[in-house]
PDB file of all heavy atoms in Angstrom:
ATOM      1  N   SER A   1     -42.953 -37.552   8.439  1.00 98.00           N
ATOM      2  CA  SER A   1     -42.646 -38.923   8.438  1.00 98.00           C
ATOM      3  C   SER A   1     -42.976 -39.506   7.017  1.00 98.00           C
ATOM      4  O   SER A   1     -43.905 -38.982   6.335  1.00 98.00           O
ATOM      5  CB  SER A   1     -43.467 -39.732   9.438  1.00 98.00           C
ATOM      6  OG  SER A   1     -43.374 -41.120   9.228  1.00 98.00           O
ATOM      7  N   VAL A   2     -42.320 -40.552   6.627  1.00 98.00           N
ATOM      8  CA  VAL A   2     -42.610 -41.172   5.302  1.00 98.00           C
ATOM      9  C   VAL A   2     -44.003 -41.913   5.379  1.00 98.00           C
ATOM     10  O   VAL A   2     -44.496 -42.400   4.399  1.00 98.00           O
ATOM     11  CB  VAL A   2     -41.495 -42.131   4.921  1.00 98.00           C
ATOM     12  CG1 VAL A   2     -40.225 -41.438   4.617  1.00 98.00           C
ATOM     13  CG2 VAL A   2     -41.306 -43.311   5.901  1.00 98.00           C
ATOM     14  N   ASP A   3     -44.567 -42.006   6.581  1.00 98.00           N
ATOM     15  CA  ASP A   3     -45.875 -42.571   6.775  1.00 98.00           C
ATOM     16  C   ASP A   3     -46.928 -41.556   6.976  1.00 98.00           C
ATOM     17  O   ASP A   3     -48.140 -41.854   7.091  1.00 98.00           O
ATOM     18  CB  ASP A   3     -45.925 -43.543   7.937  1.00 98.00           C
ATOM     19  CG  ASP A   3     -44.921 -44.747   7.661  1.00 98.00           C
ATOM     20  OD1 ASP A   3     -44.922 -45.288   6.567  1.00 98.00           O
ATOM     21  OD2 ASP A   3     -44.261 -45.126   8.639  1.00 98.00           O
ATOM     22  N   SER A   4     -46.593 -40.271   6.992  1.00 98.00           N
ATOM     23  CA  SER A   4     -47.508 -39.194   7.356  1.00 98.00           C
ATOM     24  C   SER A   4     -48.539 -39.037   6.252  1.00 98.00           C
ATOM     25  O   SER A   4     -48.273 -38.993   5.015  1.00 98.00           O
ATOM     26  CB  SER A   4     -46.754 -37.855   7.490  1.00 98.00           C
ATOM     27  OG  SER A   4     -47.634 -36.792   7.577  1.00 98.00           O
ATOM     28  N   THR A   5     -49.881 -38.886   6.612  1.00 98.00           N
ATOM     29  CA  THR A   5     -50.833 -38.646   5.694  1.00 98.00           C
ATOM     30  C   THR A   5     -51.303 -37.189   5.541  1.00 98.00           C
ATOM     31  O   THR A   5     -52.260 -36.836   4.962  1.00 98.00           O
ATOM     32  CB  THR A   5     -52.146 -39.470   6.048  1.00 98.00           C
ATOM     33  OG1 THR A   5     -52.554 -39.122   7.461  1.00 98.00           O
ATOM     34  CG2 THR A   5     -51.890 -40.928   6.030  1.00 98.00           C
ATOM     35  N   ASP A   6     -50.537 -36.305   6.246  1.00 98.00           N
ATOM     36  CA  ASP A   6     -50.784 -34.880   6.156  1.00 98.00           C
ATOM     37  C   ASP A   6     -50.523 -34.375   4.716  1.00 98.00           C
ATOM     38  O   ASP A   6     -49.876 -35.107   3.910  1.00 98.00           O
ATOM     39  CB  ASP A   6     -49.866 -34.098   7.128  1.00 98.00           C
ATOM     40  CG  ASP A   6     -50.364 -34.148   8.505  1.00 98.00           C
ATOM     41  OD1 ASP A   6     -51.457 -34.716   8.755  1.00 98.00           O
ATOM     42  OD2 ASP A   6     -49.609 -33.735   9.433  1.00 98.00           O
ATOM     43  N   THR A   7     -50.996 -33.227   4.376  1.00 98.00           N
ATOM     44  CA  THR A   7     -50.821 -32.729   3.001  1.00 98.00           C
ATOM     45  C   THR A   7     -49.619 -31.747   3.000  1.00 98.00           C
ATOM     46  O   THR A   7     -49.598 -30.791   3.795  1.00 98.00           O
ATOM     47  CB  THR A   7     -52.114 -31.954   2.559  1.00 98.00           C
ATOM     48  OG1 THR A   7     -53.212 -32.893   2.569  1.00 98.00           O
ATOM     49  CG2 THR A   7     -51.906 -31.466   1.155  1.00 98.00           C
ATOM     50  N   PRO A   8     -48.672 -31.843   2.072  1.00 98.00           N
ATOM     51  CA  PRO A   8     -47.610 -30.886   1.977  1.00 98.00           C
ATOM     52  C   PRO A   8     -48.178 -29.475   1.615  1.00 98.00           C
ATOM     53  O   PRO A   8     -49.112 -29.374   0.866  1.00 98.00           O
ATOM     54  CB  PRO A   8     -46.752 -31.418   0.835  1.00 98.00           C
ATOM     55  CG  PRO A   8     -47.101 -32.878   0.709  1.00 98.00           C
ATOM     56  CD  PRO A   8     -48.595 -32.922   1.055  1.00 98.00           C
ATOM     57  N   PRO A   9     -47.530 -28.438   2.145  1.00 98.00           N
ATOM     58  CA  PRO A   9     -48.034 -27.048   1.843  1.00 98.00           C
ATOM     59  C   PRO A   9     -47.958 -26.772   0.315  1.00 98.00           C
ATOM     60  O   PRO A   9     -48.776 -25.979  -0.176  1.00 98.00           O
ATOM     61  CB  PRO A   9     -47.031 -26.154   2.599  1.00 98.00           C
ATOM     62  CG  PRO A   9     -46.536 -27.054   3.712  1.00 98.00           C
ATOM     63  CD  PRO A   9     -46.465 -28.417   3.188  1.00 98.00           C
ATOM     64  N   ASN A  10     -47.073 -27.380  -0.436  1.00 98.00           N
ATOM     65  CA  ASN A  10     -46.947 -27.088  -1.828  1.00 98.00           C
ATOM     66  C   ASN A  10     -47.664 -28.102  -2.769  1.00 98.00           C
ATOM     67  O   ASN A  10     -47.485 -28.079  -3.952  1.00 98.00           O
ATOM     68  CB  ASN A  10     -45.465 -27.030  -2.216  1.00 98.00           C
ATOM     69  CG  ASN A  10     -44.720 -28.308  -1.878  1.00 98.00           C
ATOM     70  OD1 ASN A  10     -45.313 -29.297  -1.499  1.00 98.00           O
ATOM     71  ND2 ASN A  10     -43.392 -28.227  -2.089  1.00 98.00           N
ATOM     72  N   ALA A  11     -48.467 -28.952  -2.220  1.00 98.00           N
ATOM     73  CA  ALA A  11     -49.170 -30.017  -2.997  1.00 98.00           C
ATOM     74  C   ALA A  11     -49.955 -29.455  -4.154  1.00 98.00           C
ATOM     75  O   ALA A  11     -49.847 -29.883  -5.312  1.00 98.00           O
ATOM     76  CB  ALA A  11     -49.969 -30.864  -2.132  1.00 98.00           C
ATOM     77  N   ALA A  12     -50.851 -28.437  -3.813  1.00 98.00           N
ATOM     78  CA  ALA A  12     -51.710 -27.908  -4.885  1.00 98.00           C
ATOM     79  C   ALA A  12     -50.899 -27.183  -5.980  1.00 98.00           C
ATOM     80  O   ALA A  12     -51.187 -27.270  -7.132  1.00 98.00           O
ATOM     81  CB  ALA A  12     -52.745 -26.941  -4.271  1.00 98.00           C
ATOM     82  N   ALA A  13     -49.889 -26.436  -5.477  1.00 98.00           N
ATOM     83  CA  ALA A  13     -49.080 -25.660  -6.439  1.00 98.00           C
ATOM     84  C   ALA A  13     -48.340 -26.529  -7.406  1.00 98.00           C
ATOM     85  O   ALA A  13     -48.021 -26.164  -8.568  1.00 98.00           O
ATOM     86  CB  ALA A  13     -48.135 -24.688  -5.702  1.00 98.00           C
ATOM     87  N   LEU A  14     -48.004 -27.737  -6.958  1.00 98.00           N
ATOM     88  CA  LEU A  14     -47.299 -28.693  -7.815  1.00 98.00           C
ATOM     89  C   LEU A  14     -48.227 -29.610  -8.578  1.00 98.00           C
ATOM     90  O   LEU A  14     -47.771 -30.526  -9.244  1.00 98.00           O
ATOM     91  CB  LEU A  14     -46.344 -29.513  -6.948  1.00 98.00           C
ATOM     92  CG  LEU A  14     -45.119 -28.736  -6.465  1.00 98.00           C
ATOM     93  CD1 LEU A  14     -44.315 -29.588  -5.450  1.00 98.00           C
ATOM     94  CD2 LEU A  14     -44.163 -28.314  -7.577  1.00 98.00           C
ATOM     95  N   GLY A  15     -49.528 -29.308  -8.576  1.00 98.00           N
ATOM     96  CA  GLY A  15     -50.549 -30.073  -9.319  1.00 98.00           C
ATOM     97  C   GLY A  15     -50.780 -31.500  -8.764  1.00 98.00           C
ATOM     98  O   GLY A  15     -51.293 -32.332  -9.457  1.00 98.00           O
ATOM     99  N   GLN A  16     -50.441 -31.681  -7.483  1.00 98.00           N
ATOM    100  CA  GLN A  16     -50.739 -32.981  -6.812  1.00 98.00           C
ATOM    101  C   GLN A  16     -51.490 -32.747  -5.497  1.00 98.00           C
ATOM    102  O   GLN A  16     -50.910 -33.102  -4.419  1.00 98.00           O
ATOM    103  CB  GLN A  16     -49.451 -33.706  -6.629  1.00 98.00           C
ATOM    104  CG  GLN A  16     -48.649 -34.015  -7.879  1.00 98.00           C
ATOM    105  CD  GLN A  16     -47.330 -34.824  -7.615  1.00 98.00           C
ATOM    106  OE1 GLN A  16     -47.447 -35.969  -7.224  1.00 98.00           O
ATOM    107  NE2 GLN A  16     -46.212 -34.211  -7.880  1.00 98.00           N
ATOM    108  N   PRO A  17     -52.681 -32.278  -5.544  1.00 98.00           N
ATOM    109  CA  PRO A  17     -53.419 -31.910  -4.264  1.00 98.00           C
ATOM    110  C   PRO A  17     -53.638 -33.068  -3.342  1.00 98.00           C
ATOM    111  O   PRO A  17     -53.892 -32.831  -2.202  1.00 98.00           O
ATOM    112  CB  PRO A  17     -54.696 -31.243  -4.790  1.00 98.00           C
ATOM    113  CG  PRO A  17     -54.870 -31.892  -6.177  1.00 98.00           C
ATOM    114  CD  PRO A  17     -53.511 -32.002  -6.761  1.00 98.00           C
ATOM    115  N   ASN A  18     -53.686 -34.314  -3.860  1.00 98.00           N
ATOM    116  CA  ASN A  18     -53.981 -35.424  -3.048  1.00 98.00           C
ATOM    117  C   ASN A  18     -52.822 -36.225  -2.482  1.00 98.00           C
ATOM    118  O   ASN A  18     -52.935 -37.203  -1.826  1.00 98.00           O
ATOM    119  CB  ASN A  18     -54.842 -36.430  -3.840  1.00 98.00           C
ATOM    120  CG  ASN A  18     -56.239 -35.746  -4.206  1.00 98.00           C
ATOM    121  OD1 ASN A  18     -56.806 -35.094  -3.439  1.00 98.00           O
ATOM    122  ND2 ASN A  18     -56.636 -36.019  -5.491  1.00 98.00           N
ATOM    123  N   ILE A  19     -51.583 -35.729  -2.881  1.00 98.00           N
ATOM    124  CA  ILE A  19     -50.367 -36.427  -2.405  1.00 98.00           C
ATOM    125  C   ILE A  19     -50.254 -36.208  -0.887  1.00 98.00           C
ATOM    126  O   ILE A  19     -50.542 -35.155  -0.328  1.00 98.00           O
ATOM    127  CB  ILE A  19     -49.096 -35.911  -3.179  1.00 98.00           C
ATOM    128  CG1 ILE A  19     -47.958 -36.899  -2.966  1.00 98.00           C
ATOM    129  CG2 ILE A  19     -48.688 -34.509  -2.717  1.00 98.00           C
ATOM    130  CD1 ILE A  19     -46.807 -36.601  -3.887  1.00 98.00           C
ATOM    131  N   THR A  20     -49.698 -37.170  -0.183  1.00 98.00           N
ATOM    132  CA  THR A  20     -49.405 -37.037   1.275  1.00 98.00           C
ATOM    133  C   THR A  20     -47.960 -36.667   1.450  1.00 98.00           C
ATOM    134  O   THR A  20     -47.119 -36.727   0.616  1.00 98.00           O
ATOM    135  CB  THR A  20     -49.716 -38.355   1.993  1.00 98.00           C
ATOM    136  OG1 THR A  20     -48.731 -39.345   1.509  1.00 98.00           O
ATOM    137  CG2 THR A  20     -51.079 -38.904   1.702  1.00 98.00           C
ATOM    138  N   VAL A  21     -47.676 -36.214   2.709  1.00 99.00           N
ATOM    139  CA  VAL A  21     -46.353 -35.892   3.095  1.00 99.00           C
ATOM    140  C   VAL A  21     -45.404 -37.055   2.883  1.00 99.00           C
ATOM    141  O   VAL A  21     -44.329 -36.975   2.403  1.00 99.00           O
ATOM    142  CB  VAL A  21     -46.327 -35.348   4.566  1.00 99.00           C
ATOM    143  CG1 VAL A  21     -44.797 -35.359   5.066  1.00 99.00           C
ATOM    144  CG2 VAL A  21     -46.902 -33.950   4.708  1.00 99.00           C
ATOM    145  N   GLY A  22     -45.924 -38.284   3.384  1.00 98.00           N
ATOM    146  CA  GLY A  22     -45.101 -39.400   3.195  1.00 98.00           C
ATOM    147  C   GLY A  22     -44.745 -39.760   1.763  1.00 98.00           C
ATOM    148  O   GLY A  22     -43.620 -40.102   1.434  1.00 98.00           O
ATOM    149  N   GLU A  23     -45.736 -39.697   0.890  1.00 98.00           N
ATOM    150  CA  GLU A  23     -45.503 -39.941  -0.500  1.00 98.00           C
ATOM    151  C   GLU A  23     -44.627 -38.948  -1.121  1.00 98.00           C
ATOM    152  O   GLU A  23     -43.727 -39.309  -1.931  1.00 98.00           O
ATOM    153  CB  GLU A  23     -46.889 -39.945  -1.266  1.00 98.00           C
ATOM    154  CG  GLU A  23     -47.788 -41.125  -0.879  1.00 98.00           C
ATOM    155  CD  GLU A  23     -49.246 -40.941  -1.429  1.00 98.00           C
ATOM    156  OE1 GLU A  23     -49.621 -39.757  -1.690  1.00 98.00           O
ATOM    157  OE2 GLU A  23     -49.914 -41.925  -1.490  1.00 98.00           O
ATOM    158  N   ALA A  24     -44.763 -37.600  -0.753  1.00 98.00           N
ATOM    159  CA  ALA A  24     -43.899 -36.622  -1.304  1.00 98.00           C
ATOM    160  C   ALA A  24     -42.449 -36.742  -0.876  1.00 98.00           C
ATOM    161  O   ALA A  24     -41.525 -36.613  -1.648  1.00 98.00           O
ATOM    162  CB  ALA A  24     -44.418 -35.192  -0.816  1.00 98.00           C
ATOM    163  N   LEU A  25     -42.262 -37.142   0.390  1.00 98.00           N
ATOM    164  CA  LEU A  25     -40.904 -37.388   0.887  1.00 98.00           C
ATOM    165  C   LEU A  25     -40.206 -38.456   0.158  1.00 98.00           C
ATOM    166  O   LEU A  25     -38.973 -38.438  -0.219  1.00 98.00           O
ATOM    167  CB  LEU A  25     -40.914 -37.692   2.379  1.00 98.00           C
ATOM    168  CG  LEU A  25     -41.123 -36.516   3.345  1.00 98.00           C
ATOM    169  CD1 LEU A  25     -41.289 -37.014   4.812  1.00 98.00           C
ATOM    170  CD2 LEU A  25     -39.978 -35.495   3.287  1.00 98.00           C
ATOM    171  N   LYS A  26     -40.917 -39.553  -0.141  1.00 98.00           N
ATOM    172  CA  LYS A  26     -40.300 -40.707  -0.820  1.00 98.00           C
ATOM    173  C   LYS A  26     -40.166 -40.481  -2.373  1.00 98.00           C
ATOM    174  O   LYS A  26     -39.283 -41.166  -3.007  1.00 98.00           O
ATOM    175  CB  LYS A  26     -41.123 -41.961  -0.545  1.00 98.00           C
ATOM    176  CG  LYS A  26     -41.019 -42.462   0.905  1.00 98.00           C
ATOM    177  CD  LYS A  26     -41.828 -43.776   1.125  1.00 98.00           C
ATOM    178  CE  LYS A  26     -43.301 -43.459   1.171  1.00 98.00           C
ATOM    179  NZ  LYS A  26     -44.037 -44.667   1.617  1.00 98.00           N
ATOM    180  N   ASP A  27     -40.940 -39.624  -2.913  1.00 98.00           N
ATOM    181  CA  ASP A  27     -40.893 -39.415  -4.359  1.00 98.00           C
ATOM    182  C   ASP A  27     -39.524 -38.853  -4.797  1.00 98.00           C
ATOM    183  O   ASP A  27     -39.059 -37.798  -4.213  1.00 98.00           O
ATOM    184  CB  ASP A  27     -41.967 -38.446  -4.763  1.00 98.00           C
ATOM    185  CG  ASP A  27     -42.220 -38.313  -6.259  1.00 98.00           C
ATOM    186  OD1 ASP A  27     -41.201 -38.010  -6.921  1.00 98.00           O
ATOM    187  OD2 ASP A  27     -43.341 -38.504  -6.696  1.00 98.00           O
TER     188      ASP A  27
END
């Protein structure tokens, strides 16, 4: 969901370990 606070599986690999699923989807 664009409101999800879960962490994307690739967050660390992309250098954004604190990004949420919602933020990643909207980016």
Side-chain angles (χ1 to χ4, degrees):
S1 168
V2 296
D3 297 318
S4 172
T5 58
D6 285 352
T7 302
N10 57 6
L14 289 171
Q16 301 184 63
N18 297 318
I19 196 170
T20 67
V21 164
E23 291 168 340
L25 284 172
K26 290 183 287 186
D27 191 304

